[in-house]
Short mmCIF file of all heavy atoms in Angstrom, two decimals:
data_model
loop_
_atom_site.label_atom_id
_atom_site.label_comp_id
_atom_site.label_asym_id
_atom_site.label_seq_id
_atom_site.Cartn_x
_atom_site.Cartn_y
_atom_site.Cartn_z
N ALA C 1 3.97 -9.38 6.80
CA ALA C 1 2.94 -8.34 6.95
C ALA C 1 2.86 -7.86 8.40
O ALA C 1 3.30 -8.56 9.35
CB ALA C 1 1.58 -8.88 6.50
N PRO C 2 2.28 -6.67 8.61
CA PRO C 2 2.09 -6.23 9.97
C PRO C 2 1.27 -7.30 10.76
O PRO C 2 0.31 -7.83 10.26
CB PRO C 2 1.26 -4.94 9.80
CG PRO C 2 1.74 -4.39 8.49
CD PRO C 2 1.94 -5.65 7.61
N GLY C 3 1.67 -7.56 11.98
CA GLY C 3 1.04 -8.57 12.80
C GLY C 3 1.74 -9.93 12.76
O GLY C 3 1.31 -10.85 13.45
N THR C 4 2.72 -10.10 11.87
CA THR C 4 3.46 -11.36 11.77
C THR C 4 4.29 -11.54 13.05
O THR C 4 5.11 -10.72 13.41
CB THR C 4 4.37 -11.39 10.57
OG1 THR C 4 3.60 -11.20 9.37
CG2 THR C 4 5.15 -12.71 10.50
N CYS C 5 4.16 -12.70 13.70
CA CYS C 5 4.97 -13.06 14.88
C CYS C 5 6.29 -13.62 14.45
O CYS C 5 6.26 -14.60 13.68
CB CYS C 5 4.23 -14.00 15.82
SG CYS C 5 2.81 -13.31 16.65
N VAL C 6 7.39 -13.15 14.94
CA VAL C 6 8.69 -13.66 14.66
C VAL C 6 9.33 -14.19 15.97
O VAL C 6 9.56 -13.42 16.89
CB VAL C 6 9.63 -12.58 14.01
CG1 VAL C 6 11.00 -13.16 13.78
CG2 VAL C 6 9.02 -12.07 12.73
N LEU C 7 9.62 -15.48 15.99
CA LEU C 7 10.36 -16.07 17.10
C LEU C 7 11.78 -16.21 16.67
O LEU C 7 12.11 -16.69 15.63
CB LEU C 7 9.78 -17.45 17.43
CG LEU C 7 8.64 -17.51 18.48
CD1 LEU C 7 8.09 -18.93 18.51
CD2 LEU C 7 9.14 -17.11 19.86
N ALA C 8 12.68 -15.74 17.55
CA ALA C 8 14.10 -15.67 17.17
C ALA C 8 14.81 -16.99 17.40
O ALA C 8 14.72 -17.60 18.49
CB ALA C 8 14.80 -14.59 17.94
N ARG C 9 15.54 -17.43 16.38
CA ARG C 9 16.58 -18.48 16.59
C ARG C 9 17.80 -17.84 17.24
O ARG C 9 18.45 -18.46 18.04
CB ARG C 9 17.00 -19.08 15.25
CG ARG C 9 16.04 -20.07 14.62
CD ARG C 9 16.73 -20.87 13.55
NE ARG C 9 15.84 -21.81 12.90
CZ ARG C 9 15.19 -21.59 11.72
NH1 ARG C 9 15.41 -20.43 11.10
NH2 ARG C 9 14.39 -22.50 11.22
N ALA C 10 18.07 -16.63 16.81
CA ALA C 10 19.21 -15.89 17.34
C ALA C 10 18.95 -14.41 17.14
O ALA C 10 18.09 -14.01 16.40
CB ALA C 10 20.52 -16.32 16.60
N VAL C 11 19.72 -13.59 17.87
CA VAL C 11 19.70 -12.13 17.74
C VAL C 11 21.08 -11.68 17.21
O VAL C 11 22.11 -12.15 17.75
CB VAL C 11 19.37 -11.45 19.07
CG1 VAL C 11 19.60 -9.94 18.95
CG2 VAL C 11 17.94 -11.75 19.47
N ALA C 12 21.08 -10.86 16.19
CA ALA C 12 22.36 -10.51 15.54
C ALA C 12 22.50 -9.00 15.40
O ALA C 12 21.51 -8.29 15.17
CB ALA C 12 22.40 -11.15 14.19
N THR C 13 23.72 -8.55 15.54
CA THR C 13 24.11 -7.20 15.09
C THR C 13 25.07 -7.47 13.90
O THR C 13 25.25 -8.59 13.45
CB THR C 13 24.84 -6.41 16.18
OG1 THR C 13 26.05 -7.15 16.55
CG2 THR C 13 23.97 -6.29 17.40
N ARG C 14 25.67 -6.40 13.37
CA ARG C 14 26.56 -6.61 12.24
C ARG C 14 27.79 -7.40 12.57
O ARG C 14 28.45 -7.97 11.69
CB ARG C 14 26.91 -5.23 11.63
CG ARG C 14 25.74 -4.53 10.94
CD ARG C 14 26.18 -3.27 10.24
NE ARG C 14 25.05 -2.62 9.57
CZ ARG C 14 24.61 -2.91 8.37
NH1 ARG C 14 25.17 -3.86 7.67
NH2 ARG C 14 23.59 -2.22 7.88
N ASP C 15 28.17 -7.50 13.83
CA ASP C 15 29.40 -8.19 14.21
C ASP C 15 29.24 -9.26 15.28
O ASP C 15 30.20 -9.92 15.67
CB ASP C 15 30.49 -7.21 14.64
CG ASP C 15 30.05 -6.31 15.74
OD1 ASP C 15 28.96 -6.50 16.31
OD2 ASP C 15 30.79 -5.35 16.04
N THR C 16 28.05 -9.44 15.82
CA THR C 16 27.86 -10.44 16.90
C THR C 16 26.49 -11.09 16.74
O THR C 16 25.56 -10.53 16.20
CB THR C 16 27.85 -9.74 18.27
OG1 THR C 16 29.03 -8.90 18.37
CG2 THR C 16 27.88 -10.77 19.42
N ARG C 17 26.48 -12.40 17.15
CA ARG C 17 25.23 -13.17 17.06
C ARG C 17 25.08 -13.98 18.33
O ARG C 17 26.00 -14.70 18.74
CB ARG C 17 25.25 -14.13 15.83
CG ARG C 17 23.96 -14.85 15.57
CD ARG C 17 24.09 -15.58 14.22
NE ARG C 17 22.88 -16.24 13.82
CZ ARG C 17 22.56 -17.51 14.10
NH1 ARG C 17 23.48 -18.25 14.76
NH2 ARG C 17 21.44 -18.06 13.73
N TRP C 18 23.90 -13.84 18.99
CA TRP C 18 23.62 -14.61 20.23
C TRP C 18 22.53 -15.58 19.91
O TRP C 18 21.41 -15.20 19.48
CB TRP C 18 23.12 -13.64 21.30
CG TRP C 18 24.08 -12.63 21.75
CD1 TRP C 18 25.03 -12.74 22.76
CD2 TRP C 18 24.27 -11.28 21.29
NE1 TRP C 18 25.76 -11.57 22.88
CE2 TRP C 18 25.29 -10.67 21.98
CE3 TRP C 18 23.57 -10.57 20.26
CZ2 TRP C 18 25.67 -9.38 21.75
CZ3 TRP C 18 23.97 -9.27 20.01
CH2 TRP C 18 25.04 -8.67 20.75
N VAL C 19 22.78 -16.88 20.17
CA VAL C 19 21.79 -17.90 19.90
C VAL C 19 20.80 -18.00 21.06
O VAL C 19 21.15 -17.97 22.23
CB VAL C 19 22.46 -19.28 19.71
CG1 VAL C 19 21.47 -20.42 19.49
CG2 VAL C 19 23.45 -19.18 18.50
N CYS C 20 19.53 -18.07 20.72
CA CYS C 20 18.48 -18.18 21.74
C CYS C 20 18.42 -19.58 22.37
O CYS C 20 18.88 -20.58 21.72
CB CYS C 20 17.11 -17.86 21.15
SG CYS C 20 17.00 -16.10 20.61
N ASP C 21 17.86 -19.68 23.52
CA ASP C 21 17.72 -20.96 24.23
C ASP C 21 16.81 -21.90 23.39
O ASP C 21 15.68 -21.59 23.14
CB ASP C 21 17.17 -20.78 25.60
CG ASP C 21 17.12 -22.05 26.43
OD1 ASP C 21 18.15 -22.37 27.02
OD2 ASP C 21 16.07 -22.72 26.40
N GLU C 22 17.36 -23.01 22.96
CA GLU C 22 16.63 -23.94 22.07
C GLU C 22 15.40 -24.51 22.67
O GLU C 22 14.30 -24.53 22.05
CB GLU C 22 17.58 -25.02 21.57
CG GLU C 22 16.98 -25.93 20.56
CD GLU C 22 17.90 -26.97 20.04
OE1 GLU C 22 19.16 -26.89 20.39
OE2 GLU C 22 17.49 -27.84 19.28
N ALA C 23 15.48 -25.00 23.90
CA ALA C 23 14.35 -25.65 24.52
C ALA C 23 13.22 -24.64 24.82
O ALA C 23 12.02 -24.93 24.56
CB ALA C 23 14.78 -26.31 25.84
N TRP C 24 13.54 -23.46 25.24
CA TRP C 24 12.55 -22.44 25.50
C TRP C 24 11.90 -21.98 24.19
O TRP C 24 10.68 -21.85 24.10
CB TRP C 24 13.17 -21.26 26.23
CG TRP C 24 12.23 -20.26 26.79
CD1 TRP C 24 10.85 -20.36 26.84
CD2 TRP C 24 12.56 -19.00 27.37
NE1 TRP C 24 10.32 -19.20 27.41
CE2 TRP C 24 11.35 -18.38 27.76
CE3 TRP C 24 13.76 -18.35 27.58
CZ2 TRP C 24 11.31 -17.12 28.34
CZ3 TRP C 24 13.73 -17.10 28.19
CH2 TRP C 24 12.52 -16.50 28.59
N THR C 25 12.70 -21.74 23.18
CA THR C 25 12.16 -21.31 21.87
C THR C 25 11.23 -22.40 21.30
O THR C 25 10.14 -22.13 20.78
CB THR C 25 13.29 -21.05 20.88
OG1 THR C 25 14.12 -20.00 21.43
CG2 THR C 25 12.76 -20.60 19.54
N ARG C 26 11.57 -23.69 21.49
CA ARG C 26 10.75 -24.77 21.00
C ARG C 26 9.43 -24.79 21.79
O ARG C 26 8.37 -25.00 21.20
CB ARG C 26 11.45 -26.09 21.18
CG ARG C 26 10.71 -27.31 20.62
CD ARG C 26 11.58 -28.49 20.51
NE ARG C 26 12.17 -28.91 21.79
CZ ARG C 26 13.44 -28.80 22.10
NH1 ARG C 26 14.32 -28.32 21.24
NH2 ARG C 26 13.90 -29.18 23.29
N ALA C 27 9.47 -24.56 23.06
CA ALA C 27 8.20 -24.48 23.87
C ALA C 27 7.31 -23.36 23.40
O ALA C 27 6.08 -23.51 23.34
CB ALA C 27 8.54 -24.35 25.35
N MET C 28 7.93 -22.23 23.06
CA MET C 28 7.12 -21.12 22.56
C MET C 28 6.54 -21.41 21.18
O MET C 28 5.39 -21.04 20.91
CB MET C 28 8.00 -19.85 22.55
CG MET C 28 8.45 -19.36 23.91
SD MET C 28 9.64 -18.01 23.87
CE MET C 28 8.60 -16.65 23.44
N CYS C 29 7.37 -22.07 20.36
CA CYS C 29 6.85 -22.44 19.03
C CYS C 29 5.61 -23.34 19.12
O CYS C 29 4.73 -23.22 18.28
CB CYS C 29 7.97 -23.18 18.21
SG CYS C 29 9.18 -22.08 17.47
N GLU C 30 5.63 -24.26 20.05
CA GLU C 30 4.53 -25.18 20.20
C GLU C 30 3.23 -24.43 20.53
O GLU C 30 2.15 -24.92 20.15
CB GLU C 30 4.85 -26.23 21.25
CG GLU C 30 5.92 -27.20 20.84
CD GLU C 30 6.38 -28.10 21.96
OE1 GLU C 30 5.89 -27.90 23.11
OE2 GLU C 30 7.20 -28.98 21.72
N ARG C 31 3.36 -23.34 21.23
CA ARG C 31 2.15 -22.56 21.58
C ARG C 31 1.80 -21.47 20.56
O ARG C 31 0.74 -20.92 20.61
CB ARG C 31 2.41 -21.86 22.95
CG ARG C 31 2.60 -22.93 24.07
CD ARG C 31 2.59 -22.30 25.41
NE ARG C 31 2.92 -23.31 26.43
CZ ARG C 31 2.75 -23.13 27.75
NH1 ARG C 31 2.25 -21.96 28.19
NH2 ARG C 31 3.06 -24.07 28.63
N LEU C 32 2.75 -21.22 19.65
CA LEU C 32 2.51 -20.24 18.60
C LEU C 32 2.82 -20.84 17.24
O LEU C 32 3.77 -20.52 16.56
CB LEU C 32 3.42 -18.99 18.81
CG LEU C 32 3.26 -18.27 20.14
CD1 LEU C 32 4.35 -17.20 20.27
CD2 LEU C 32 1.87 -17.59 20.22
N PRO C 33 1.97 -21.80 16.82
CA PRO C 33 2.28 -22.54 15.59
C PRO C 33 2.32 -21.70 14.30
O PRO C 33 2.93 -22.10 13.36
CB PRO C 33 1.14 -23.58 15.49
CG PRO C 33 0.04 -22.98 16.31
CD PRO C 33 0.72 -22.24 17.42
N GLY C 34 1.75 -20.48 14.34
CA GLY C 34 1.78 -19.64 13.15
C GLY C 34 2.97 -18.69 13.12
O GLY C 34 3.13 -17.93 12.17
N ALA C 35 3.83 -18.76 14.16
CA ALA C 35 4.96 -17.83 14.16
C ALA C 35 6.01 -18.21 13.13
O ALA C 35 6.20 -19.36 12.78
CB ALA C 35 5.58 -17.83 15.58
N THR C 36 6.75 -17.18 12.69
CA THR C 36 7.86 -17.35 11.73
C THR C 36 9.15 -17.44 12.55
O THR C 36 9.40 -16.60 13.41
CB THR C 36 7.91 -16.23 10.78
OG1 THR C 36 6.67 -16.15 10.00
CG2 THR C 36 9.07 -16.39 9.77
N LEU C 37 9.97 -18.46 12.28
CA LEU C 37 11.21 -18.66 13.02
C LEU C 37 12.39 -18.15 12.20
O LEU C 37 12.52 -18.46 11.03
CB LEU C 37 11.38 -20.18 13.30
CG LEU C 37 12.41 -20.61 14.32
CD1 LEU C 37 12.10 -19.99 15.72
CD2 LEU C 37 12.46 -22.11 14.39
N GLY C 38 13.25 -17.36 12.80
CA GLY C 38 14.43 -16.86 12.14
C GLY C 38 15.18 -15.85 13.00
O GLY C 38 14.82 -15.65 14.18
N ASP C 39 16.22 -15.24 12.47
CA ASP C 39 17.02 -14.31 13.26
C ASP C 39 16.35 -12.96 13.36
O ASP C 39 15.57 -12.56 12.47
CB ASP C 39 18.43 -14.13 12.62
CG ASP C 39 19.31 -15.30 12.91
OD1 ASP C 39 18.87 -16.30 13.45
OD2 ASP C 39 20.54 -15.16 12.57
#
């Protein structure tokens, strides 16, 4: 729904995928427990 927070595991185009920094993403997740994690 509008207002849903999405934290990226990775960013993808149709031919490339960049993985996000795991430790930093984990630190953000801890502060945003309601966020949805995915690409």
Side-chain angles (χ1 to χ4, degrees):
T4 301
C5 289
V6 178
L7 270 172
R9 284 197 181 97
V11 170
T13 61
R14 290 187 181 273
D15 55 9
T16 310
R17 187 172 183 266
W18 297 271
V19 177
C20 295
D21 186 84
E22 185 177 352
W24 191 8
T25 302
R26 184 166 59 249
M28 294 172 76
C29 279
E30 290 172 357
R31 299 190 184 193
L32 300 172
T36 300
L37 193 61
D39 283 8

